[in-house]
Amino acid sequence: MNIYDIAKLANVSPATVSRVINNRGNVKEDTANKIKKIIENTGYIPSATARNLSVGVSKNIAFIVPDIENPFFSKILHGISDRASYYNYNVFMFGSDENIEKEHRILKSLSSDMILGILVIPVSHDDMITAQYLKEFEEKGIPVVLIDRDIRNCSFHGVFSEDEDGAYQAVKCLIEEGHKDIAIITGPTTSRPGLNRLMGYQRALQEHGIPLREEYMVSGEFKLEESYHAAKKLFALNHVPTAIFTSNNLTTIGVLQFIRESGLKLVRDISLIGFDDIDYLNLLNIKVSIVDRPIYDMGYQAMDLLQNNYLKRDENRLITQRISAKTWLVKRGSEKHILFKGVNER
Amino acid sequence: MNIYDIAKLANVSPATVSRVINNRGNVKEDTANKIKKIIENTGYIPSATARNLSVGVSKNIAFIVPDIENPFFSKILHGISDRASYYNYNVFMFGSDENIEKEHRILKSLSSDMILGILVIPVSHDDMITAQYLKEFEEKGIPVVLIDRDIRNCSFHGVFSEDEDGAYQAVKCLIEEGHKDIAIITGPTTSRPGLNRLMGYQRALQEHGIPLREEYMVSGEFKLEESYHAAKKLFALNHVPTAIFTSNNLTTIGVLQFIRESGLKLVRDISLIGFDDIDYLNLLNIKVSIVDRPIYDMGYQAMDLLQNNYLKRDENRLITQRISAKTWLVKRGSEKHILFKGVNER
DNA sequence: AAAATTAATGAAAGCGGTTACATTATTCTT
DNA sequence: AAGAATAATGTAACCGCTTTCATTAATTTT
């Protein structure tokens, strides 16, 4: 069943059927109705493939995500998916598993006529191969929008967040509560958010005249196990910090795991502020302060950015649109912070 | 840049180029190498769209999931995605948000020549419209594989799990620990897993001569808030149950939330076994026994099933392949269960 | 009512691949 | 070395839609 069959049934040419299907106008109402009815009755669905080939444009967008199971990314995907369906776009999901070769393979496999645009949360900040691929897509008129993680020395469109400021606020809060020995479990500094959050941490300390201590900056690589061990390292120090800033959600969980396993108690033994909220944690009465941000919206907006860019992909290619989402501190159990202030001053 | 350009550069016909690209053989090695080199140098990527149109088959599969943010589904997606990339398939992600109309809209929008197969976790057990759509796809030779949730009176291929048995084992375990007043917070009985888990619960009680009590079976609809309120209801009863079986991960969390908020303590005040594990809960030292199953594998296998079915979609259409994944009970903090056994016997 | 304008429709050439079939080149027989 | 068999390559139609341009029908103008 194709457009010719429909045309035959309606005694018109395929061109007319096509006009009706695409609401192109210039068709007598009777004719249009007749055709619509036939389409309805036969259950005919036009071939998207043929249309794509003919028009040279598809309705598909590719979303490349480094960790399918991380709820942070699921939220972004949700935002993307909702907005994409508003635009009648379909979303291809690709997981790079934080593996840069895999990311390259995915990019390489993307036949440019299958997709209208690319949304990507890149694995690395410094990866010029990925950057090269992405640039080539842009040159072909396929817009690229980065999410959450920027790529160094490039100016792709993107939706990011105020990582530096978020981290700064968190650490500042800890300082104001009386902490001086504040550690950070960093993400990979090959990722922009990892780097920026570290910078926010450092700035907060410096602005308050607290010297940076090498041993208080340990890497958790944004991963649970690594962060667990990072926490272990911190607690093995001669001078154990009184507070920790954790650079992402998995980092926070890793540290919490260590804390629980060691029989330590939040607030009493250690203060903690994390980056990114963890679902259900608050519900389950585990009160951890965190730096929050509009995650769903970031996906949603990325899709909008892509769409805008797609529509005017020929004009002003010069203007790069980059959005930076605000972050905010969510204090939980902070009364207790203050209550136990004395304890923190080891 | 298309196949004709490459052909021209190589002084051959497009047919030969096509043969090389698809490893069809019957090409002299010299020629093949020359063509390969040119493809390499020019960075030419064949149009998947054109290929799809020509061959009448795409490399895309559609995955329809009811809740993008539920980690259970993320795991399934991960399994699907990994296996799909092995087969060189691309995965379209669609979220139905547990909304049956949305599900219909998605199904209706799927142009059958854009996809090779459909993986779906349907919203409802009883929805004949969805069933009808799916049947039509099957008739067109587009295989359909259900995951986790079956559809009544239909025999689609699928990967499910032993819901009845899982629930049975959980409740049996509670009974053997001495509990007699065991409640269930059910999922929607319009979903097969919801129904089957309820049946497992009932069978366990009956087999042990414990009468069913209407007020001990309250609905949480597989949702967090509803389950929270369901728990509240149970604790407002004259005769509060000593143990609860929760029908899915969100249900468990809802109940845990209520327990925490009410200052109650697991084991001491109430025993709990849930269906499906919750990431990090165990790590965070919240010891909840649960019925587990191979979630990632279910996605992985669903993809395999689809692939098998696609390959032999013409022969034995009669044989429906249905896999049922085993479930197993993960006991956590069970020493304590025994320790506090007396308390359970209110 | 004829001419001019505008609306409705159709014919046919793409879009970029694949592939059946025809043709030419190469190797094998005897 | 001529003929048969096989390998390599090319030609051209086709997949199902869109769209330009030409054509025909319907309206409007005068």
Side-chain angles (χ1 to χ4, degrees), chain A residues 46-49 53 60 68-69 74-75 78 90-94 97 111 113-114 250 253 256-257 260 280-281 283-284, chain B residues 46-49 53 60 69 74-75 78 81 90-94 97 111 113-114 250 253 256-257 260 280-281 283-284:
Chain A
S47 158
T49 307
L53 179 60
N60 308 328
I68 293 182
E69 293 194 36
S74 299
K75 281 210 182 83
H78 198 184
N90 302 322
V91 179
F92 279 125
M93 256 287 302
F94 297 94
D97 291 329
S111 158
D113 75 333
M114 278 286 291
L250 296 182
I253 292 172
L256 286 176
Q257 183 191 357
R260 295 278 161 144
Y280 318 134
L281 217 56
L283 296 183
L284 296 175
Chain B
S47 159
T49 308
L53 179 59
N60 308 327
E69 294 193 35
S74 299
K75 280 209 183 86
H78 199 185
S81 172
N90 301 322
V91 180
F92 280 124
M93 255 286 302
F94 298 93
D97 292 328
S111 160
D113 75 333
M114 278 286 291
L250 296 182
I253 293 173
L256 286 176
Q257 184 192 356
R260 295 277 161 145
Y280 318 136
L281 216 57
L283 296 184
L284 296 175

Short mmCIF file of all heavy atoms in Angstrom, two decimals, chain A residues 46-49 53 60 68-69 74-75 78 90-94 97 111 113-114 250 253 256-257 260 280-281 283-284, chain B residues 46-49 53 60 69 74-75 78 81 90-94 97 111 113-114 250 253 256-257 260 280-281 283-284:
data_model
loop_
_atom_site.label_atom_id
_atom_site.label_comp_id
_atom_site.label_asym_id
_atom_site.label_seq_id
_atom_site.Cartn_x
_atom_site.Cartn_y
_atom_site.Cartn_z
N PRO A 46 2.07 6.66 5.33
CA PRO A 46 3.13 6.97 4.36
C PRO A 46 4.48 6.48 4.85
O PRO A 46 4.73 6.43 6.05
CB PRO A 46 3.12 8.50 4.29
CG PRO A 46 1.91 8.95 5.00
CD PRO A 46 1.47 7.86 5.91
N SER A 47 5.33 6.15 3.94
CA SER A 47 6.66 5.70 4.29
C SER A 47 7.53 6.89 4.69
O SER A 47 7.83 7.76 3.89
CB SER A 47 7.30 5.00 3.09
OG SER A 47 8.71 5.03 3.24
N ALA A 48 7.90 6.88 5.95
CA ALA A 48 8.76 7.96 6.44
C ALA A 48 10.11 7.90 5.73
O ALA A 48 10.72 8.93 5.44
CB ALA A 48 8.93 7.84 7.94
N THR A 49 10.53 6.69 5.46
CA THR A 49 11.83 6.54 4.79
C THR A 49 11.83 7.23 3.43
O THR A 49 12.73 8.01 3.12
CB THR A 49 12.13 5.05 4.60
OG1 THR A 49 12.02 4.37 5.84
CG2 THR A 49 13.53 4.86 4.06
N LEU A 53 14.02 10.44 2.30
CA LEU A 53 14.93 10.40 1.17
C LEU A 53 14.60 11.51 0.19
O LEU A 53 15.48 12.22 -0.30
CB LEU A 53 14.83 9.05 0.46
CG LEU A 53 15.73 8.90 -0.76
CD1 LEU A 53 17.19 9.07 -0.37
CD2 LEU A 53 15.52 7.55 -1.42
N ASN A 60 14.40 12.49 12.85
CA ASN A 60 15.05 11.76 13.93
C ASN A 60 16.19 12.57 14.52
O ASN A 60 16.94 13.21 13.81
CB ASN A 60 15.64 10.46 13.41
CG ASN A 60 14.61 9.65 12.66
OD1 ASN A 60 13.42 9.68 12.97
ND2 ASN A 60 15.06 8.93 11.65
N ILE A 68 23.52 5.15 30.69
CA ILE A 68 22.07 4.98 30.55
C ILE A 68 21.37 4.83 31.89
O ILE A 68 20.24 5.24 32.06
CB ILE A 68 21.79 3.74 29.67
CG1 ILE A 68 22.26 4.00 28.24
CG2 ILE A 68 20.31 3.38 29.68
CD1 ILE A 68 21.98 2.87 27.28
N GLU A 69 22.07 4.26 32.85
CA GLU A 69 21.38 3.95 34.10
C GLU A 69 21.45 5.05 35.14
O GLU A 69 20.79 4.98 36.16
CB GLU A 69 21.95 2.65 34.68
CG GLU A 69 21.62 1.44 33.81
CD GLU A 69 21.87 0.13 34.52
OE1 GLU A 69 21.63 0.06 35.74
OE2 GLU A 69 22.31 -0.83 33.86
N SER A 74 18.71 10.01 32.97
CA SER A 74 17.34 9.61 32.66
C SER A 74 16.42 10.83 32.68
O SER A 74 15.50 10.95 31.86
CB SER A 74 16.83 8.58 33.67
OG SER A 74 17.63 7.43 33.64
N LYS A 75 16.67 11.71 33.62
CA LYS A 75 15.84 12.91 33.71
C LYS A 75 16.05 13.79 32.49
O LYS A 75 15.10 14.35 31.93
CB LYS A 75 16.20 13.71 34.96
CG LYS A 75 15.62 13.17 36.22
CD LYS A 75 15.35 14.30 37.23
CE LYS A 75 14.82 13.72 38.52
NZ LYS A 75 15.90 13.22 39.39
N HIS A 78 14.26 12.33 29.70
CA HIS A 78 12.83 12.56 29.81
C HIS A 78 12.47 13.93 29.22
O HIS A 78 11.52 14.07 28.46
CB HIS A 78 12.41 12.47 31.28
CG HIS A 78 10.94 12.26 31.46
ND1 HIS A 78 10.34 12.22 32.69
CD2 HIS A 78 9.94 12.08 30.57
CE1 HIS A 78 9.04 12.04 32.55
NE2 HIS A 78 8.78 11.94 31.28
N ASN A 90 11.62 11.81 16.52
CA ASN A 90 11.92 10.56 17.21
C ASN A 90 13.34 10.63 17.74
O ASN A 90 14.21 11.22 17.13
CB ASN A 90 11.80 9.39 16.26
CG ASN A 90 10.41 9.31 15.65
OD1 ASN A 90 9.42 9.57 16.34
ND2 ASN A 90 10.34 8.97 14.38
N VAL A 91 13.54 9.99 18.86
CA VAL A 91 14.85 10.08 19.51
C VAL A 91 15.58 8.73 19.45
O VAL A 91 15.09 7.73 19.96
CB VAL A 91 14.71 10.50 20.98
CG1 VAL A 91 16.07 10.57 21.64
CG2 VAL A 91 14.00 11.83 21.08
N PHE A 92 16.72 8.75 18.83
CA PHE A 92 17.61 7.59 18.89
C PHE A 92 18.45 7.69 20.16
O PHE A 92 19.06 8.70 20.43
CB PHE A 92 18.60 7.60 17.71
CG PHE A 92 18.06 7.08 16.43
CD1 PHE A 92 18.11 7.86 15.29
CD2 PHE A 92 17.53 5.81 16.34
CE1 PHE A 92 17.63 7.37 14.08
CE2 PHE A 92 17.05 5.32 15.13
CZ PHE A 92 17.11 6.11 14.00
N MET A 93 18.47 6.63 20.92
CA MET A 93 19.25 6.59 22.16
C MET A 93 20.53 5.81 21.94
O MET A 93 20.49 4.67 21.48
CB MET A 93 18.45 5.81 23.20
CG MET A 93 17.79 6.61 24.24
SD MET A 93 18.96 7.25 25.43
CE MET A 93 19.70 5.74 26.01
N PHE A 94 21.63 6.40 22.30
CA PHE A 94 22.89 5.67 22.24
C PHE A 94 23.62 5.81 23.57
O PHE A 94 23.71 6.90 24.11
CB PHE A 94 23.79 6.24 21.14
CG PHE A 94 23.23 6.12 19.76
CD1 PHE A 94 22.51 7.17 19.20
CD2 PHE A 94 23.42 4.97 19.02
CE1 PHE A 94 21.99 7.06 17.92
CE2 PHE A 94 22.90 4.86 17.74
CZ PHE A 94 22.19 5.90 17.19
N ASP A 97 28.60 4.54 27.51
CA ASP A 97 29.19 3.91 28.68
C ASP A 97 30.48 4.60 29.13
O ASP A 97 31.42 3.93 29.57
CB ASP A 97 29.46 2.42 28.40
CG ASP A 97 28.16 1.64 28.29
OD1 ASP A 97 27.17 2.02 28.94
OD2 ASP A 97 28.12 0.65 27.53
N SER A 111 24.64 7.91 10.13
CA SER A 111 24.46 8.33 8.75
C SER A 111 23.73 9.67 8.77
O SER A 111 22.64 9.78 9.30
CB SER A 111 23.66 7.26 8.02
OG SER A 111 23.05 7.78 6.89
N ASP A 113 22.07 11.43 6.91
CA ASP A 113 20.74 11.68 6.38
C ASP A 113 19.66 10.99 7.20
O ASP A 113 18.49 11.11 6.92
CB ASP A 113 20.67 11.26 4.92
CG ASP A 113 20.61 9.76 4.79
OD1 ASP A 113 21.12 9.07 5.69
OD2 ASP A 113 20.05 9.28 3.80
N MET A 114 20.10 10.24 8.22
CA MET A 114 19.11 9.61 9.08
C MET A 114 18.71 10.53 10.22
O MET A 114 17.73 10.29 10.89
CB MET A 114 19.69 8.33 9.69
CG MET A 114 19.64 7.13 8.78
SD MET A 114 17.98 6.49 8.65
CE MET A 114 17.78 5.84 10.32
N LEU A 250 26.74 10.08 42.07
CA LEU A 250 27.36 8.80 42.41
C LEU A 250 28.45 8.98 43.45
O LEU A 250 28.64 8.12 44.32
CB LEU A 250 27.94 8.14 41.15
CG LEU A 250 26.91 7.77 40.08
CD1 LEU A 250 27.59 7.09 38.90
CD2 LEU A 250 25.83 6.86 40.65
N ILE A 253 26.85 9.10 46.79
CA ILE A 253 26.44 7.78 47.26
C ILE A 253 27.63 6.97 47.73
O ILE A 253 27.58 6.31 48.77
CB ILE A 253 25.68 7.03 46.15
CG1 ILE A 253 24.34 7.74 45.90
CG2 ILE A 253 25.42 5.59 46.55
CD1 ILE A 253 23.59 7.22 44.72
N LEU A 256 28.52 8.19 51.09
CA LEU A 256 27.51 7.78 52.07
C LEU A 256 27.69 6.31 52.42
O LEU A 256 27.58 5.91 53.58
CB LEU A 256 26.10 8.02 51.52
CG LEU A 256 25.65 9.48 51.48
CD1 LEU A 256 24.27 9.59 50.83
CD2 LEU A 256 25.61 10.08 52.89
N GLN A 257 27.98 5.52 51.40
CA GLN A 257 28.20 4.11 51.67
C GLN A 257 29.35 3.92 52.66
O GLN A 257 29.23 3.18 53.64
CB GLN A 257 28.53 3.39 50.36
CG GLN A 257 28.70 1.88 50.57
CD GLN A 257 29.28 1.18 49.35
OE1 GLN A 257 29.51 1.81 48.31
NE2 GLN A 257 29.49 -0.11 49.47
N ARG A 260 28.29 4.97 56.16
CA ARG A 260 27.44 3.99 56.80
C ARG A 260 28.23 2.77 57.26
O ARG A 260 28.10 2.30 58.38
CB ARG A 260 26.35 3.53 55.82
CG ARG A 260 25.38 4.61 55.43
CD ARG A 260 24.31 4.73 56.51
NE ARG A 260 23.64 6.01 56.42
CZ ARG A 260 22.34 6.17 56.67
NH1 ARG A 260 21.59 5.15 57.02
NH2 ARG A 260 21.80 7.36 56.60
N TYR A 280 14.78 9.98 46.14
CA TYR A 280 14.35 9.12 47.23
C TYR A 280 15.19 9.27 48.49
O TYR A 280 14.77 8.88 49.56
CB TYR A 280 14.35 7.63 46.82
CG TYR A 280 13.79 7.38 45.45
CD1 TYR A 280 14.43 6.55 44.55
CD2 TYR A 280 12.59 7.98 45.04
CE1 TYR A 280 13.91 6.32 43.29
CE2 TYR A 280 12.06 7.76 43.78
CZ TYR A 280 12.74 6.92 42.91
OH TYR A 280 12.23 6.70 41.66
N LEU A 281 16.38 9.83 48.37
CA LEU A 281 17.25 9.92 49.53
C LEU A 281 16.58 10.73 50.62
O LEU A 281 16.54 10.33 51.78
CB LEU A 281 18.56 10.61 49.13
CG LEU A 281 19.80 10.07 49.79
CD1 LEU A 281 19.93 8.59 49.53
CD2 LEU A 281 21.02 10.80 49.30
N LEU A 283 13.41 11.32 50.85
CA LEU A 283 12.22 10.60 51.30
C LEU A 283 12.58 9.55 52.34
O LEU A 283 11.83 9.29 53.27
CB LEU A 283 11.56 9.89 50.11
CG LEU A 283 11.01 10.78 49.00
CD1 LEU A 283 10.32 9.92 47.96
CD2 LEU A 283 10.04 11.79 49.59
N LEU A 284 13.73 8.95 52.14
CA LEU A 284 14.13 7.87 53.04
C LEU A 284 14.82 8.42 54.28
O LEU A 284 15.50 7.70 55.00
CB LEU A 284 15.03 6.89 52.31
CG LEU A 284 14.31 6.19 51.15
CD1 LEU A 284 15.27 5.32 50.38
CD2 LEU A 284 13.14 5.36 51.68
N PRO B 46 27.39 6.10 3.41
CA PRO B 46 26.21 5.81 2.59
C PRO B 46 24.94 6.28 3.30
O PRO B 46 24.87 6.31 4.52
CB PRO B 46 26.21 4.29 2.48
CG PRO B 46 27.52 3.82 2.98
CD PRO B 46 28.08 4.89 3.85
N SER B 47 23.98 6.64 2.52
CA SER B 47 22.70 7.07 3.09
C SER B 47 21.90 5.88 3.58
O SER B 47 21.47 5.03 2.80
CB SER B 47 21.89 7.81 2.02
OG SER B 47 20.54 7.79 2.39
N ALA B 48 21.73 5.83 4.90
CA ALA B 48 20.94 4.75 5.46
C ALA B 48 19.51 4.83 4.96
O ALA B 48 18.85 3.82 4.73
CB ALA B 48 20.99 4.81 6.98
N THR B 49 19.05 6.04 4.78
CA THR B 49 17.67 6.22 4.32
C THR B 49 17.46 5.59 2.95
O THR B 49 16.52 4.82 2.74
CB THR B 49 17.35 7.72 4.24
OG1 THR B 49 17.67 8.34 5.46
CG2 THR B 49 15.88 7.93 3.93
N LEU B 53 15.12 2.41 2.05
CA LEU B 53 14.04 2.48 1.06
C LEU B 53 14.23 1.40 0.01
O LEU B 53 13.29 0.69 -0.36
CB LEU B 53 14.05 3.85 0.38
CG LEU B 53 12.97 4.03 -0.68
CD1 LEU B 53 11.58 3.84 -0.08
CD2 LEU B 53 13.07 5.40 -1.33
N ASN B 60 16.37 0.04 12.46
CA ASN B 60 15.90 0.72 13.66
C ASN B 60 14.88 -0.12 14.40
O ASN B 60 14.01 -0.72 13.78
CB ASN B 60 15.25 2.05 13.29
CG ASN B 60 16.13 2.88 12.41
OD1 ASN B 60 17.35 2.84 12.53
ND2 ASN B 60 15.53 3.64 11.51
N GLU B 69 12.02 7.48 33.71
CA GLU B 69 12.89 7.74 34.86
C GLU B 69 12.99 6.60 35.86
O GLU B 69 13.81 6.66 36.76
CB GLU B 69 12.43 9.03 35.56
CG GLU B 69 12.63 10.25 34.69
CD GLU B 69 12.49 11.55 35.48
OE1 GLU B 69 12.88 11.58 36.66
OE2 GLU B 69 11.98 12.54 34.91
N SER B 74 15.35 1.74 33.08
CA SER B 74 16.65 2.15 32.57
C SER B 74 17.56 0.95 32.39
O SER B 74 18.33 0.85 31.44
CB SER B 74 17.32 3.14 33.52
OG SER B 74 16.53 4.30 33.67
N LYS B 75 17.46 0.03 33.34
CA LYS B 75 18.28 -1.17 33.25
C LYS B 75 17.88 -2.00 32.04
O LYS B 75 18.73 -2.54 31.33
CB LYS B 75 18.12 -2.02 34.51
CG LYS B 75 18.92 -1.53 35.67
CD LYS B 75 19.31 -2.67 36.60
CE LYS B 75 20.04 -2.12 37.80
NZ LYS B 75 19.13 -1.69 38.87
N HIS B 78 19.20 -0.44 29.06
CA HIS B 78 20.63 -0.67 28.94
C HIS B 78 20.89 -2.02 28.26
O HIS B 78 21.71 -2.12 27.34
CB HIS B 78 21.28 -0.63 30.33
CG HIS B 78 22.76 -0.42 30.29
ND1 HIS B 78 23.55 -0.43 31.41
CD2 HIS B 78 23.60 -0.18 29.26
CE1 HIS B 78 24.81 -0.22 31.07
NE2 HIS B 78 24.86 -0.07 29.77
N SER B 81 19.88 -1.74 24.63
CA SER B 81 20.79 -0.88 23.88
C SER B 81 22.09 -1.62 23.56
O SER B 81 22.60 -1.58 22.44
CB SER B 81 21.06 0.38 24.69
OG SER B 81 22.06 1.15 24.10
N ASN B 90 19.71 0.58 15.66
CA ASN B 90 19.53 1.79 16.43
C ASN B 90 18.21 1.72 17.18
O ASN B 90 17.25 1.16 16.68
CB ASN B 90 19.52 3.01 15.52
CG ASN B 90 20.79 3.13 14.73
OD1 ASN B 90 21.87 2.84 15.24
ND2 ASN B 90 20.67 3.53 13.48
N VAL B 91 18.19 2.30 18.33
CA VAL B 91 17.00 2.20 19.18
C VAL B 91 16.27 3.54 19.29
O VAL B 91 16.84 4.53 19.75
CB VAL B 91 17.36 1.72 20.59
CG1 VAL B 91 16.13 1.63 21.46
CG2 VAL B 91 18.08 0.39 20.54
N PHE B 92 15.05 3.55 18.86
CA PHE B 92 14.17 4.70 19.11
C PHE B 92 13.56 4.55 20.49
O PHE B 92 12.99 3.51 20.82
CB PHE B 92 13.01 4.73 18.11
CG PHE B 92 13.35 5.29 16.78
CD1 PHE B 92 13.12 4.56 15.62
CD2 PHE B 92 13.85 6.58 16.66
CE1 PHE B 92 13.42 5.08 14.38
CE2 PHE B 92 14.14 7.11 15.42
CZ PHE B 92 13.92 6.36 14.28
N MET B 93 13.65 5.59 21.28
CA MET B 93 13.08 5.56 22.62
C MET B 93 11.78 6.35 22.65
O MET B 93 11.75 7.51 22.22
CB MET B 93 14.03 6.32 23.55
CG MET B 93 14.86 5.49 24.46
SD MET B 93 13.87 4.82 25.80
CE MET B 93 13.22 6.30 26.54
N PHE B 94 10.75 5.75 23.15
CA PHE B 94 9.50 6.47 23.32
C PHE B 94 9.00 6.28 24.74
O PHE B 94 8.99 5.16 25.25
CB PHE B 94 8.43 5.94 22.37
CG PHE B 94 8.77 6.11 20.92
CD1 PHE B 94 9.41 5.10 20.22
CD2 PHE B 94 8.45 7.27 20.26
CE1 PHE B 94 9.72 5.25 18.88
CE2 PHE B 94 8.76 7.44 18.92
CZ PHE B 94 9.40 6.42 18.23
N ASP B 97 4.71 7.36 29.47
CA ASP B 97 4.31 7.94 30.75
C ASP B 97 3.11 7.25 31.38
O ASP B 97 2.25 7.89 31.98
CB ASP B 97 4.01 9.45 30.59
CG ASP B 97 5.27 10.24 30.29
OD1 ASP B 97 6.34 9.85 30.77
OD2 ASP B 97 5.18 11.25 29.57
N SER B 111 5.85 4.66 11.56
CA SER B 111 5.81 4.29 10.15
C SER B 111 6.53 2.97 10.01
O SER B 111 7.69 2.84 10.37
CB SER B 111 6.49 5.39 9.36
OG SER B 111 6.88 4.91 8.11
N ASP B 113 7.85 1.27 7.86
CA ASP B 113 9.08 1.04 7.11
C ASP B 113 10.29 1.71 7.77
O ASP B 113 11.39 1.61 7.29
CB ASP B 113 8.93 1.50 5.66
CG ASP B 113 8.98 2.99 5.55
OD1 ASP B 113 8.62 3.67 6.54
OD2 ASP B 113 9.39 3.49 4.50
N MET B 114 10.02 2.41 8.87
CA MET B 114 11.13 3.03 9.59
C MET B 114 11.70 2.07 10.62
O MET B 114 12.78 2.28 11.14
CB MET B 114 10.65 4.28 10.33
CG MET B 114 10.55 5.51 9.48
SD MET B 114 12.18 6.17 9.11
CE MET B 114 12.65 6.75 10.75
N LEU B 250 8.89 1.28 43.33
CA LEU B 250 8.33 2.54 43.82
C LEU B 250 7.43 2.32 45.02
O LEU B 250 7.38 3.13 45.94
CB LEU B 250 7.56 3.23 42.69
CG LEU B 250 8.40 3.66 41.48
CD1 LEU B 250 7.54 4.37 40.45
CD2 LEU B 250 9.55 4.56 41.91
N ILE B 253 9.54 2.06 48.05
CA ILE B 253 10.03 3.37 48.50
C ILE B 253 8.93 4.16 49.19
O ILE B 253 9.15 4.78 50.23
CB ILE B 253 10.60 4.16 47.31
CG1 ILE B 253 11.87 3.47 46.81
CG2 ILE B 253 10.91 5.59 47.72
CD1 ILE B 253 12.42 4.06 45.55
N LEU B 256 8.60 2.79 52.58
CA LEU B 256 9.76 3.17 53.41
C LEU B 256 9.63 4.62 53.85
O LEU B 256 9.93 4.98 54.99
CB LEU B 256 11.05 2.97 52.63
CG LEU B 256 11.50 1.52 52.45
CD1 LEU B 256 12.74 1.45 51.58
CD2 LEU B 256 11.75 0.85 53.81
N GLN B 257 9.17 5.45 52.93
CA GLN B 257 9.00 6.85 53.28
C GLN B 257 8.03 7.00 54.45
O GLN B 257 8.30 7.71 55.42
CB GLN B 257 8.48 7.63 52.07
CG GLN B 257 8.36 9.12 52.34
CD GLN B 257 7.58 9.85 51.26
OE1 GLN B 257 7.18 9.24 50.26
NE2 GLN B 257 7.36 11.13 51.46
N ARG B 260 9.65 5.81 57.69
CA ARG B 260 10.60 6.78 58.22
C ARG B 260 9.89 7.98 58.84
O ARG B 260 10.20 8.41 59.93
CB ARG B 260 11.51 7.28 57.09
CG ARG B 260 12.39 6.21 56.51
CD ARG B 260 13.63 6.04 57.37
NE ARG B 260 14.27 4.77 57.13
CZ ARG B 260 15.60 4.60 57.16
NH1 ARG B 260 16.38 5.62 57.42
NH2 ARG B 260 16.11 3.42 56.96
N TYR B 280 21.33 1.25 45.43
CA TYR B 280 21.95 2.05 46.48
C TYR B 280 21.31 1.86 47.85
O TYR B 280 21.92 2.22 48.85
CB TYR B 280 21.91 3.55 46.14
CG TYR B 280 22.24 3.86 44.71
CD1 TYR B 280 21.49 4.77 43.96
CD2 TYR B 280 23.32 3.23 44.08
CE1 TYR B 280 21.80 5.05 42.64
CE2 TYR B 280 23.63 3.50 42.76
CZ TYR B 280 22.87 4.41 42.05
OH TYR B 280 23.17 4.67 40.74
N LEU B 281 20.11 1.30 47.89
CA LEU B 281 19.44 1.18 49.17
C LEU B 281 20.29 0.35 50.11
O LEU B 281 20.51 0.71 51.26
CB LEU B 281 18.08 0.51 48.95
CG LEU B 281 16.97 1.01 49.83
CD1 LEU B 281 16.79 2.49 49.65
CD2 LEU B 281 15.68 0.29 49.51
N LEU B 283 23.45 -0.26 49.81
CA LEU B 283 24.69 0.46 50.09
C LEU B 283 24.50 1.46 51.21
O LEU B 283 25.39 1.71 52.01
CB LEU B 283 25.16 1.21 48.84
CG LEU B 283 25.54 0.36 47.63
CD1 LEU B 283 26.06 1.26 46.52
CD2 LEU B 283 26.58 -0.67 48.03
N LEU B 284 23.34 2.06 51.23
CA LEU B 284 23.09 3.10 52.22
C LEU B 284 22.61 2.51 53.54
O LEU B 284 22.05 3.20 54.37
CB LEU B 284 22.09 4.11 51.68
CG LEU B 284 22.61 4.86 50.45
CD1 LEU B 284 21.53 5.74 49.87
CD2 LEU B 284 23.84 5.67 50.82
#
